[in-house]
Amino acid sequence: MERPLTQHIKNDGTWLNLKEYEKTGGYQALRKALSMPPEELTTLVKDSGLKGRGGAGFSTGMKWSFVPMGRKAPTPKYFVVNGDEMEPGSFKDRLLLEENPHQLIEGAIIGAYAIQANFSYIFLRWAYHRAAKAITQALQEAVEAGYLGENVMGSGFNLDMSLHISVGRYMCGEETALLNALEGKRANPRAKPPFPVVSGLFGKPTVVNNVETVSNVPHIIVNGAEWFLQLSKSEEGGTKLYGASGRVKTPGLWELPLGTTLRELLEVHAGGMQDGYNFKGALPGGGSTDFLTTEHLDVPMDFKNVEQAGSRLGTGTITVLDDKTCPVGMVRNLEHFFAQESCGWCTPCREGLPWTAKILDALEDGRGKMEDLDILTFQTRYMAPGNTFCALAPGAMEPLQSALKYFREDFEKHIHEHTCPWKS
Amino acid sequence: MAEENILSEKEITEIREIYSHFPLKSAACIEGLKVVQKYHRWVSDKALKELAAILEMSPDAVDSVATYYSLIFRKPVGRHVILVCNSMSCWIMGYEEILAFLKGKLGIEYGETTPDDRFTLLAIPCLGTCDHAPALIIDEDLHRDLTPNKLEEILKKYE
């Protein structure tokens, strides 16, 4: 089984420095890319079927292809790496950021060259201190080696790449909010259209791609689209960083073919449930995805199949709910998170999420009424996609609506018993 | 006599260096707040006003940014800031026990600082280390797979 993203990671507490990365074939993809016309790179990435690994799953090559090209295109253009991983239950990008920063930087240089951007930012969340150190060192090494700066590898292409360390807000992960943060502003989302590919950072064409997405790029350039497609077990190309947390025997992170089933993740890689605990459900890819349950264990974890099962692949890092943990409590924890992280820009989210969290508090405290379940159901409709400015509130409704569907009797028990059954 | 400025020449130079890379001075607002916090641990009203003047922004505009981000402190914090992950995986794996231990040991609630100015206790959403939950950060150090016993030892390292 090929593991292009993680095969060279050392696991000895140090990250791959420039020399070590070059020994693994590092920066050969950049050499090849610089000899190709930019549009050809975009076509190659499009043909590989690479879909954004940050959660939304949009075609990466397609996104690049929307950037205005040619002499009349607005300048400067920007290529931004989204390393603001802050979704509860997601921890996949941390590994790539901390252990193999040059792989990410090489991917970002290729991406910038493909859209002819002369400025690039790596937007990193504040909590990843080790990653910040690794990237700072790697950027310096890349500049000294001539992979960044003026006239990259003698190609005539110029690229300035900087690290931006955020100061903590979940909203920064949303691509237009991220651009506002890079401009020094509050990270409120922007209206779309125009999309950032046309009008992004400082009003100029900007591509924003997730860390795992960008880290795939050098491998696609070296090995080709066909190779990437065959890595996967499904029709969507590539491997995926999958992870598991919760009461499983071996929580962790694994690079596996896209389309690996939930059962294989749980039983083989995560080692099954801890003794004394049974599987009740799982969020497949972060706090803003719908629960899957035992009936979904054989669902291949790719974008299309998870969607058909009524959820989203999201980040692919699963959070397991066991039978000794209260599902209402888990959803309550999530809704408090989303209510706190709402930027307040639009009313349904600003008002609806704290209301939702308060109802869940009442249920948890034994003060809930049956009508509360109706209100919660209404909220999932009021904050459905299209009713809010961005995806934060609709995302917040996903675990709630699926919990109401699969664990309704647990909600009702709270009401009938006037307490949380897991506490009594 | 004119009141002395809070921001030193060194800080002002750092802030100027940041905005020199951007099309607008205000683009250095977040980075400028980080510079202030690096030297003073928190951003006081007076420091905020001085930063606003440097960036040619109104103090309210700078404050609207400062109060938006959870890791810009608009109140004084202690020598060490403890950020406890209160998100889903940490909650499943026993974050409440860790929090109760910390509150008992330090005698403070969320948002408070110990009387000796040693620790400030704050919550933080997901630290992205869910496979090693429960977790917290003290200053820049990540501590994972926590138990109250482990935490007892960890706290001793921060004076």
Side-chain angles (χ1 to χ4, degrees), chain A residues 63 82 171-183 185-197 199-201 206 208 345 389-391:
Chain A
K63 194 185 251 190
N82 185 346
M171 268 315 297
C172 295
E174 199 274 343
E175 68 173 358
T176 59
L178 180 149
L179 297 175
N180 277 333
L182 266 180
E183 290 182 11
K185 300 172 184 163
R186 292 167 75 98
N188 293 328
R190 297 176 182 177
K192 293 189 273 192
F195 287 90
V197 280
S199 177
L201 192 60
T206 306
V208 182
W345 191 242
F389 206 78
C390 79

PDB file of all heavy atoms in Angstrom, chain A residues 63 82 171-183 185-197 199-201 206 208 345 389-391:
ATOM      1  N   LYS A  63     -10.763  24.413  -9.195  1.00  0.00           N
ATOM      2  CA  LYS A  63     -10.603  25.701  -8.495  1.00  0.00           C
ATOM      3  C   LYS A  63      -9.470  26.504  -9.135  1.00  0.00           C
ATOM      4  O   LYS A  63      -9.626  27.689  -9.418  1.00  0.00           O
ATOM      5  CB  LYS A  63     -10.298  25.432  -7.006  1.00  0.00           C
ATOM      6  CG  LYS A  63     -10.440  26.654  -6.119  1.00  0.00           C
ATOM      7  CD  LYS A  63     -10.003  26.362  -4.696  1.00  0.00           C
ATOM      8  CE  LYS A  63     -11.134  26.298  -3.722  1.00  0.00           C
ATOM      9  NZ  LYS A  63     -10.723  26.247  -2.323  1.00  0.00           N
ATOM     10  N   ASN A  82      -4.460  26.812   3.729  1.00  0.00           N
ATOM     11  CA  ASN A  82      -5.303  26.869   4.917  1.00  0.00           C
ATOM     12  C   ASN A  82      -4.849  25.825   5.938  1.00  0.00           C
ATOM     13  O   ASN A  82      -5.132  24.640   5.792  1.00  0.00           O
ATOM     14  CB  ASN A  82      -6.765  26.653   4.512  1.00  0.00           C
ATOM     15  CG  ASN A  82      -7.733  26.818   5.673  1.00  0.00           C
ATOM     16  OD1 ASN A  82      -7.319  26.843   6.829  1.00  0.00           O
ATOM     17  ND2 ASN A  82      -9.019  26.927   5.364  1.00  0.00           N
ATOM     18  N   MET A 171     -13.755  30.478  12.811  1.00  0.00           N
ATOM     19  CA  MET A 171     -14.190  31.075  11.546  1.00  0.00           C
ATOM     20  C   MET A 171     -13.047  31.248  10.553  1.00  0.00           C
ATOM     21  O   MET A 171     -13.267  31.300   9.354  1.00  0.00           O
ATOM     22  CB  MET A 171     -14.835  32.447  11.799  1.00  0.00           C
ATOM     23  CG  MET A 171     -16.328  32.435  12.002  1.00  0.00           C
ATOM     24  SD  MET A 171     -17.261  31.430  10.851  1.00  0.00           S
ATOM     25  CE  MET A 171     -16.909  32.252   9.323  1.00  0.00           C
ATOM     26  N   CYS A 172     -11.825  31.386  11.067  1.00  0.00           N
ATOM     27  CA  CYS A 172     -10.688  31.612  10.168  1.00  0.00           C
ATOM     28  C   CYS A 172     -10.507  30.467   9.178  1.00  0.00           C
ATOM     29  O   CYS A 172      -9.855  30.633   8.151  1.00  0.00           O
ATOM     30  CB  CYS A 172      -9.399  31.798  10.962  1.00  0.00           C
ATOM     31  SG  CYS A 172      -9.403  33.273  11.972  1.00  0.00           S
ATOM     32  N   GLY A 173     -11.060  29.305   9.470  1.00  0.00           N
ATOM     33  CA  GLY A 173     -10.941  28.184   8.547  1.00  0.00           C
ATOM     34  C   GLY A 173     -11.806  28.341   7.311  1.00  0.00           C
ATOM     35  O   GLY A 173     -11.576  27.699   6.292  1.00  0.00           O
ATOM     36  N   GLU A 174     -12.835  29.199   7.380  1.00  0.00           N
ATOM     37  CA  GLU A 174     -13.688  29.451   6.217  1.00  0.00           C
ATOM     38  C   GLU A 174     -12.890  30.345   5.267  1.00  0.00           C
ATOM     39  O   GLU A 174     -12.320  31.349   5.690  1.00  0.00           O
ATOM     40  CB  GLU A 174     -14.972  30.151   6.688  1.00  0.00           C
ATOM     41  CG  GLU A 174     -16.123  30.067   5.716  1.00  0.00           C
ATOM     42  CD  GLU A 174     -16.131  31.155   4.652  1.00  0.00           C
ATOM     43  OE1 GLU A 174     -15.436  32.164   4.843  1.00  0.00           O
ATOM     44  OE2 GLU A 174     -16.822  30.995   3.650  1.00  0.00           O
ATOM     45  N   GLU A 175     -12.862  29.989   3.987  1.00  0.00           N
ATOM     46  CA  GLU A 175     -11.840  30.615   3.138  1.00  0.00           C
ATOM     47  C   GLU A 175     -11.955  32.137   3.005  1.00  0.00           C
ATOM     48  O   GLU A 175     -10.938  32.829   2.992  1.00  0.00           O
ATOM     49  CB  GLU A 175     -11.738  29.949   1.759  1.00  0.00           C
ATOM     50  CG  GLU A 175     -12.904  30.129   0.835  1.00  0.00           C
ATOM     51  CD  GLU A 175     -12.595  29.561  -0.569  1.00  0.00           C
ATOM     52  OE1 GLU A 175     -11.482  29.070  -0.818  1.00  0.00           O
ATOM     53  OE2 GLU A 175     -13.495  29.630  -1.408  1.00  0.00           O
ATOM     54  N   THR A 176     -13.176  32.677   2.940  1.00  0.00           N
ATOM     55  CA  THR A 176     -13.266  34.140   2.799  1.00  0.00           C
ATOM     56  C   THR A 176     -12.997  34.829   4.144  1.00  0.00           C
ATOM     57  O   THR A 176     -12.439  35.928   4.177  1.00  0.00           O
ATOM     58  CB  THR A 176     -14.648  34.570   2.260  1.00  0.00           C
ATOM     59  OG1 THR A 176     -15.672  34.115   3.142  1.00  0.00           O
ATOM     60  CG2 THR A 176     -14.894  34.013   0.870  1.00  0.00           C
ATOM     61  N   ALA A 177     -13.385  34.180   5.238  1.00  0.00           N
ATOM     62  CA  ALA A 177     -13.090  34.721   6.572  1.00  0.00           C
ATOM     63  C   ALA A 177     -11.578  34.715   6.802  1.00  0.00           C
ATOM     64  O   ALA A 177     -11.013  35.649   7.381  1.00  0.00           O
ATOM     65  CB  ALA A 177     -13.790  33.908   7.642  1.00  0.00           C
ATOM     66  N   LEU A 178     -10.943  33.672   6.315  1.00  0.00           N
ATOM     67  CA  LEU A 178      -9.482  33.559   6.414  1.00  0.00           C
ATOM     68  C   LEU A 178      -8.812  34.738   5.698  1.00  0.00           C
ATOM     69  O   LEU A 178      -7.833  35.314   6.185  1.00  0.00           O
ATOM     70  CB  LEU A 178      -9.042  32.222   5.809  1.00  0.00           C
ATOM     71  CG  LEU A 178      -7.554  31.867   5.796  1.00  0.00           C
ATOM     72  CD1 LEU A 178      -7.393  30.355   5.894  1.00  0.00           C
ATOM     73  CD2 LEU A 178      -6.845  32.357   4.565  1.00  0.00           C
ATOM     74  N   LEU A 179      -9.358  35.106   4.546  1.00  0.00           N
ATOM     75  CA  LEU A 179      -8.775  36.228   3.797  1.00  0.00           C
ATOM     76  C   LEU A 179      -8.937  37.530   4.572  1.00  0.00           C
ATOM     77  O   LEU A 179      -8.020  38.356   4.612  1.00  0.00           O
ATOM     78  CB  LEU A 179      -9.424  36.336   2.411  1.00  0.00           C
ATOM     79  CG  LEU A 179      -9.189  35.113   1.511  1.00  0.00           C
ATOM     80  CD1 LEU A 179      -9.959  35.258   0.209  1.00  0.00           C
ATOM     81  CD2 LEU A 179      -7.706  34.922   1.228  1.00  0.00           C
ATOM     82  N   ASN A 180     -10.093  37.705   5.220  1.00  0.00           N
ATOM     83  CA  ASN A 180     -10.274  38.892   6.059  1.00  0.00           C
ATOM     84  C   ASN A 180      -9.254  38.912   7.191  1.00  0.00           C
ATOM     85  O   ASN A 180      -8.705  39.961   7.525  1.00  0.00           O
ATOM     86  CB  ASN A 180     -11.692  38.943   6.624  1.00  0.00           C
ATOM     87  CG  ASN A 180     -12.679  39.549   5.640  1.00  0.00           C
ATOM     88  OD1 ASN A 180     -12.302  40.355   4.793  1.00  0.00           O
ATOM     89  ND2 ASN A 180     -13.940  39.163   5.729  1.00  0.00           N
ATOM     90  N   ALA A 181      -9.008  37.749   7.787  1.00  0.00           N
ATOM     91  CA  ALA A 181      -8.023  37.676   8.875  1.00  0.00           C
ATOM     92  C   ALA A 181      -6.631  38.036   8.354  1.00  0.00           C
ATOM     93  O   ALA A 181      -5.867  38.739   9.020  1.00  0.00           O
ATOM     94  CB  ALA A 181      -8.017  36.281   9.496  1.00  0.00           C
ATOM     95  N   LEU A 182      -6.307  37.561   7.147  1.00  0.00           N
ATOM     96  CA  LEU A 182      -4.998  37.884   6.565  1.00  0.00           C
ATOM     97  C   LEU A 182      -4.874  39.383   6.286  1.00  0.00           C
ATOM     98  O   LEU A 182      -3.774  39.924   6.254  1.00  0.00           O
ATOM     99  CB  LEU A 182      -4.803  37.124   5.244  1.00  0.00           C
ATOM    100  CG  LEU A 182      -4.084  35.783   5.304  1.00  0.00           C
ATOM    101  CD1 LEU A 182      -3.987  35.190   3.911  1.00  0.00           C
ATOM    102  CD2 LEU A 182      -2.691  35.904   5.912  1.00  0.00           C
ATOM    103  N   GLU A 183      -6.005  40.026   6.068  1.00  0.00           N
ATOM    104  CA  GLU A 183      -5.995  41.474   5.840  1.00  0.00           C
ATOM    105  C   GLU A 183      -6.018  42.245   7.151  1.00  0.00           C
ATOM    106  O   GLU A 183      -6.167  43.470   7.163  1.00  0.00           O
ATOM    107  CB  GLU A 183      -7.198  41.886   4.975  1.00  0.00           C
ATOM    108  CG  GLU A 183      -7.078  41.415   3.535  1.00  0.00           C
ATOM    109  CD  GLU A 183      -8.240  41.873   2.664  1.00  0.00           C
ATOM    110  OE1 GLU A 183      -9.026  42.720   3.112  1.00  0.00           O
ATOM    111  OE2 GLU A 183      -8.357  41.364   1.543  1.00  0.00           O
ATOM    112  N   LYS A 185      -8.276  41.958   9.575  1.00  0.00           N
ATOM    113  CA  LYS A 185      -9.633  42.298  10.026  1.00  0.00           C
ATOM    114  C   LYS A 185     -10.253  41.182  10.872  1.00  0.00           C
ATOM    115  O   LYS A 185      -9.670  40.122  11.021  1.00  0.00           O
ATOM    116  CB  LYS A 185     -10.523  42.514   8.798  1.00  0.00           C
ATOM    117  CG  LYS A 185     -10.071  43.608   7.882  1.00  0.00           C
ATOM    118  CD  LYS A 185     -10.927  43.578   6.621  1.00  0.00           C
ATOM    119  CE  LYS A 185     -10.462  44.589   5.599  1.00  0.00           C
ATOM    120  NZ  LYS A 185     -11.011  44.302   4.273  1.00  0.00           N
ATOM    121  N   ARG A 186     -11.483  41.453  11.341  1.00  0.00           N
ATOM    122  CA  ARG A 186     -12.279  40.389  11.959  1.00  0.00           C
ATOM    123  C   ARG A 186     -12.535  39.332  10.892  1.00  0.00           C
ATOM    124  O   ARG A 186     -12.792  39.669   9.732  1.00  0.00           O
ATOM    125  CB  ARG A 186     -13.634  40.932  12.423  1.00  0.00           C
ATOM    126  CG  ARG A 186     -13.573  41.895  13.578  1.00  0.00           C
ATOM    127  CD  ARG A 186     -14.894  42.606  13.740  1.00  0.00           C
ATOM    128  NE  ARG A 186     -15.908  41.748  14.323  1.00  0.00           N
ATOM    129  CZ  ARG A 186     -16.240  41.748  15.614  1.00  0.00           C
ATOM    130  NH1 ARG A 186     -15.641  42.565  16.444  1.00  0.00           N
ATOM    131  NH2 ARG A 186     -17.170  40.950  16.067  1.00  0.00           N
ATOM    132  N   ALA A 187     -12.501  38.066  11.308  1.00  0.00           N
ATOM    133  CA  ALA A 187     -12.675  36.991  10.335  1.00  0.00           C
ATOM    134  C   ALA A 187     -14.156  36.714  10.097  1.00  0.00           C
ATOM    135  O   ALA A 187     -14.664  35.634  10.383  1.00  0.00           O
ATOM    136  CB  ALA A 187     -11.953  35.734  10.817  1.00  0.00           C
ATOM    137  N   ASN A 188     -14.864  37.698   9.551  1.00  0.00           N
ATOM    138  CA  ASN A 188     -16.238  37.452   9.110  1.00  0.00           C
ATOM    139  C   ASN A 188     -16.193  36.925   7.690  1.00  0.00           C
ATOM    140  O   ASN A 188     -15.324  37.317   6.917  1.00  0.00           O
ATOM    141  CB  ASN A 188     -17.053  38.745   9.120  1.00  0.00           C
ATOM    142  CG  ASN A 188     -17.270  39.281  10.518  1.00  0.00           C
ATOM    143  OD1 ASN A 188     -17.364  38.516  11.472  1.00  0.00           O
ATOM    144  ND2 ASN A 188     -17.326  40.584  10.657  1.00  0.00           N
ATOM    145  N   PRO A 189     -17.146  36.048   7.319  1.00  0.00           N
ATOM    146  CA  PRO A 189     -17.131  35.571   5.934  1.00  0.00           C
ATOM    147  C   PRO A 189     -17.555  36.674   4.971  1.00  0.00           C
ATOM    148  O   PRO A 189     -18.215  37.633   5.372  1.00  0.00           O
ATOM    149  CB  PRO A 189     -18.158  34.439   5.953  1.00  0.00           C
ATOM    150  CG  PRO A 189     -19.048  34.734   7.102  1.00  0.00           C
ATOM    151  CD  PRO A 189     -18.235  35.477   8.112  1.00  0.00           C
ATOM    152  N   ARG A 190     -17.180  36.521   3.709  1.00  0.00           N
ATOM    153  CA  ARG A 190     -17.574  37.496   2.681  1.00  0.00           C
ATOM    154  C   ARG A 190     -18.673  36.900   1.816  1.00  0.00           C
ATOM    155  O   ARG A 190     -18.776  35.673   1.695  1.00  0.00           O
ATOM    156  CB  ARG A 190     -16.389  37.801   1.767  1.00  0.00           C
ATOM    157  CG  ARG A 190     -15.220  38.455   2.464  1.00  0.00           C
ATOM    158  CD  ARG A 190     -14.070  38.620   1.483  1.00  0.00           C
ATOM    159  NE  ARG A 190     -12.914  39.213   2.140  1.00  0.00           N
ATOM    160  CZ  ARG A 190     -11.747  39.420   1.531  1.00  0.00           C
ATOM    161  NH1 ARG A 190     -11.573  39.057   0.262  1.00  0.00           N
ATOM    162  NH2 ARG A 190     -10.755  39.968   2.193  1.00  0.00           N
ATOM    163  N   ALA A 191     -19.458  37.780   1.197  1.00  0.00           N
ATOM    164  CA  ALA A 191     -20.494  37.317   0.278  1.00  0.00           C
ATOM    165  C   ALA A 191     -19.833  36.708  -0.955  1.00  0.00           C
ATOM    166  O   ALA A 191     -18.811  37.196  -1.426  1.00  0.00           O
ATOM    167  CB  ALA A 191     -21.381  38.483  -0.135  1.00  0.00           C
ATOM    168  N   LYS A 192     -20.417  35.610  -1.452  1.00  0.00           N
ATOM    169  CA  LYS A 192     -19.939  34.995  -2.696  1.00  0.00           C
ATOM    170  C   LYS A 192     -21.129  34.901  -3.654  1.00  0.00           C
ATOM    171  O   LYS A 192     -22.201  34.489  -3.217  1.00  0.00           O
ATOM    172  CB  LYS A 192     -19.385  33.601  -2.425  1.00  0.00           C
ATOM    173  CG  LYS A 192     -18.106  33.611  -1.594  1.00  0.00           C
ATOM    174  CD  LYS A 192     -17.462  32.254  -1.524  1.00  0.00           C
ATOM    175  CE  LYS A 192     -18.021  31.419  -0.387  1.00  0.00           C
ATOM    176  NZ  LYS A 192     -17.252  30.206  -0.097  1.00  0.00           N
ATOM    177  N   PRO A 193     -20.998  35.178  -4.934  1.00  0.00           N
ATOM    178  CA  PRO A 193     -19.812  35.705  -5.606  1.00  0.00           C
ATOM    179  C   PRO A 193     -19.562  37.171  -5.237  1.00  0.00           C
ATOM    180  O   PRO A 193     -20.478  37.789  -4.705  1.00  0.00           O
ATOM    181  CB  PRO A 193     -20.190  35.551  -7.091  1.00  0.00           C
ATOM    182  CG  PRO A 193     -21.690  35.558  -7.138  1.00  0.00           C
ATOM    183  CD  PRO A 193     -22.139  34.995  -5.831  1.00  0.00           C
ATOM    184  N   PRO A 194     -18.400  37.718  -5.600  1.00  0.00           N
ATOM    185  CA  PRO A 194     -17.315  37.062  -6.330  1.00  0.00           C
ATOM    186  C   PRO A 194     -16.585  36.033  -5.468  1.00  0.00           C
ATOM    187  O   PRO A 194     -16.467  36.227  -4.259  1.00  0.00           O
ATOM    188  CB  PRO A 194     -16.388  38.226  -6.683  1.00  0.00           C
ATOM    189  CG  PRO A 194     -16.608  39.222  -5.587  1.00  0.00           C
ATOM    190  CD  PRO A 194     -18.053  39.101  -5.210  1.00  0.00           C
ATOM    191  N   PHE A 195     -16.111  34.993  -6.087  1.00  0.00           N
ATOM    192  CA  PHE A 195     -15.341  33.973  -5.385  1.00  0.00           C
ATOM    193  C   PHE A 195     -13.878  34.429  -5.276  1.00  0.00           C
ATOM    194  O   PHE A 195     -13.416  35.208  -6.111  1.00  0.00           O
ATOM    195  CB  PHE A 195     -15.455  32.636  -6.117  1.00  0.00           C
ATOM    196  CG  PHE A 195     -16.811  32.011  -5.950  1.00  0.00           C
ATOM    197  CD1 PHE A 195     -17.836  32.283  -6.849  1.00  0.00           C
ATOM    198  CD2 PHE A 195     -17.088  31.185  -4.872  1.00  0.00           C
ATOM    199  CE1 PHE A 195     -19.102  31.737  -6.680  1.00  0.00           C
ATOM    200  CE2 PHE A 195     -18.359  30.641  -4.694  1.00  0.00           C
ATOM    201  CZ  PHE A 195     -19.358  30.909  -5.599  1.00  0.00           C
ATOM    202  N   PRO A 196     -13.190  33.926  -4.236  1.00  0.00           N
ATOM    203  CA  PRO A 196     -11.797  34.373  -4.041  1.00  0.00           C
ATOM    204  C   PRO A 196     -10.898  34.141  -5.254  1.00  0.00           C
ATOM    205  O   PRO A 196      -9.961  34.900  -5.464  1.00  0.00           O
ATOM    206  CB  PRO A 196     -11.329  33.528  -2.854  1.00  0.00           C
ATOM    207  CG  PRO A 196     -12.566  33.171  -2.122  1.00  0.00           C
ATOM    208  CD  PRO A 196     -13.640  33.038  -3.157  1.00  0.00           C
ATOM    209  N   VAL A 197     -11.190  33.111  -6.050  1.00  0.00           N
ATOM    210  CA  VAL A 197     -10.333  32.864  -7.219  1.00  0.00           C
ATOM    211  C   VAL A 197     -10.326  34.062  -8.168  1.00  0.00           C
ATOM    212  O   VAL A 197      -9.395  34.262  -8.935  1.00  0.00           O
ATOM    213  CB  VAL A 197     -10.764  31.589  -7.992  1.00  0.00           C
ATOM    214  CG1 VAL A 197     -10.252  30.351  -7.306  1.00  0.00           C
ATOM    215  CG2 VAL A 197     -12.260  31.540  -8.181  1.00  0.00           C
ATOM    216  N   SER A 199     -11.740  37.418  -6.908  1.00  0.00           N
ATOM    217  CA  SER A 199     -11.509  38.566  -6.043  1.00  0.00           C
ATOM    218  C   SER A 199     -11.319  38.073  -4.611  1.00  0.00           C
ATOM    219  O   SER A 199     -12.274  37.831  -3.897  1.00  0.00           O
ATOM    220  CB  SER A 199     -12.713  39.519  -6.112  1.00  0.00           C
ATOM    221  OG  SER A 199     -12.521  40.583  -5.222  1.00  0.00           O
ATOM    222  N   GLY A 200     -10.065  37.911  -4.218  1.00  0.00           N
ATOM    223  CA  GLY A 200      -9.771  37.332  -2.900  1.00  0.00           C
ATOM    224  C   GLY A 200      -9.007  38.283  -2.013  1.00  0.00           C
ATOM    225  O   GLY A 200      -9.512  39.356  -1.653  1.00  0.00           O
ATOM    226  N   LEU A 201      -7.782  37.921  -1.683  1.00  0.00           N
ATOM    227  CA  LEU A 201      -6.965  38.733  -0.779  1.00  0.00           C
ATOM    228  C   LEU A 201      -6.699  40.111  -1.403  1.00  0.00           C
ATOM    229  O   LEU A 201      -6.240  40.196  -2.547  1.00  0.00           O
ATOM    230  CB  LEU A 201      -5.646  38.002  -0.501  1.00  0.00           C
ATOM    231  CG  LEU A 201      -4.779  38.547   0.625  1.00  0.00           C
ATOM    232  CD1 LEU A 201      -5.491  38.526   1.966  1.00  0.00           C
ATOM    233  CD2 LEU A 201      -3.469  37.767   0.725  1.00  0.00           C
ATOM    234  N   THR A 206      -7.205  34.806  -5.773  1.00  0.00           N
ATOM    235  CA  THR A 206      -6.576  34.060  -4.678  1.00  0.00           C
ATOM    236  C   THR A 206      -7.108  32.631  -4.629  1.00  0.00           C
ATOM    237  O   THR A 206      -8.319  32.420  -4.653  1.00  0.00           O
ATOM    238  CB  THR A 206      -6.897  34.737  -3.315  1.00  0.00           C
ATOM    239  OG1 THR A 206      -6.517  36.115  -3.379  1.00  0.00           O
ATOM    240  CG2 THR A 206      -6.172  34.059  -2.172  1.00  0.00           C
ATOM    241  N   VAL A 208      -7.306  29.363  -2.197  1.00  0.00           N
ATOM    242  CA  VAL A 208      -7.101  28.872  -0.826  1.00  0.00           C
ATOM    243  C   VAL A 208      -7.265  27.357  -0.857  1.00  0.00           C
ATOM    244  O   VAL A 208      -8.322  26.858  -1.250  1.00  0.00           O
ATOM    245  CB  VAL A 208      -8.122  29.491   0.163  1.00  0.00           C
ATOM    246  CG1 VAL A 208      -7.850  29.010   1.582  1.00  0.00           C
ATOM    247  CG2 VAL A 208      -8.095  31.010   0.112  1.00  0.00           C
ATOM    248  N   TRP A 345     -22.168  37.466  12.426  1.00  0.00           N
ATOM    249  CA  TRP A 345     -22.398  38.264  11.221  1.00  0.00           C
ATOM    250  C   TRP A 345     -23.842  38.159  10.753  1.00  0.00           C
ATOM    251  O   TRP A 345     -24.408  39.123  10.273  1.00  0.00           O
ATOM    252  CB  TRP A 345     -21.433  37.784  10.138  1.00  0.00           C
ATOM    253  CG  TRP A 345     -21.338  38.629   8.927  1.00  0.00           C
ATOM    254  CD1 TRP A 345     -21.646  38.257   7.652  1.00  0.00           C
ATOM    255  CD2 TRP A 345     -20.853  39.966   8.830  1.00  0.00           C
ATOM    256  NE1 TRP A 345     -21.390  39.275   6.784  1.00  0.00           N
ATOM    257  CE2 TRP A 345     -20.907  40.346   7.482  1.00  0.00           C
ATOM    258  CE3 TRP A 345     -20.395  40.903   9.771  1.00  0.00           C
ATOM    259  CZ2 TRP A 345     -20.516  41.598   7.032  1.00  0.00           C
ATOM    260  CZ3 TRP A 345     -19.999  42.153   9.322  1.00  0.00           C
ATOM    261  CH2 TRP A 345     -20.058  42.484   7.971  1.00  0.00           C
ATOM    262  N   PHE A 389     -25.339  32.970   6.247  1.00  0.00           N
ATOM    263  CA  PHE A 389     -24.333  33.611   5.403  1.00  0.00           C
ATOM    264  C   PHE A 389     -23.234  32.628   4.985  1.00  0.00           C
ATOM    265  O   PHE A 389     -22.731  32.674   3.873  1.00  0.00           O
ATOM    266  CB  PHE A 389     -23.727  34.781   6.180  1.00  0.00           C
ATOM    267  CG  PHE A 389     -23.179  35.837   5.279  1.00  0.00           C
ATOM    268  CD1 PHE A 389     -24.024  36.738   4.656  1.00  0.00           C
ATOM    269  CD2 PHE A 389     -21.819  35.925   5.041  1.00  0.00           C
ATOM    270  CE1 PHE A 389     -23.520  37.715   3.809  1.00  0.00           C
ATOM    271  CE2 PHE A 389     -21.309  36.904   4.205  1.00  0.00           C
ATOM    272  CZ  PHE A 389     -22.163  37.797   3.594  1.00  0.00           C
ATOM    273  N   CYS A 390     -22.835  31.751   5.895  1.00  0.00           N
ATOM    274  CA  CYS A 390     -21.780  30.792   5.551  1.00  0.00           C
ATOM    275  C   CYS A 390     -22.187  29.414   6.080  1.00  0.00           C
ATOM    276  O   CYS A 390     -23.308  29.200   6.499  1.00  0.00           O
ATOM    277  CB  CYS A 390     -20.421  31.224   6.121  1.00  0.00           C
ATOM    278  SG  CYS A 390     -20.204  30.857   7.871  1.00  0.00           S
ATOM    279  N   ALA A 391     -21.266  28.479   6.083  1.00  0.00           N
ATOM    280  CA  ALA A 391     -21.602  27.088   6.405  1.00  0.00           C
ATOM    281  C   ALA A 391     -21.489  26.754   7.884  1.00  0.00           C
ATOM    282  O   ALA A 391     -21.722  25.608   8.276  1.00  0.00           O
ATOM    283  CB  ALA A 391     -20.716  26.153   5.589  1.00  0.00           C
TER     284      ALA A 391
END
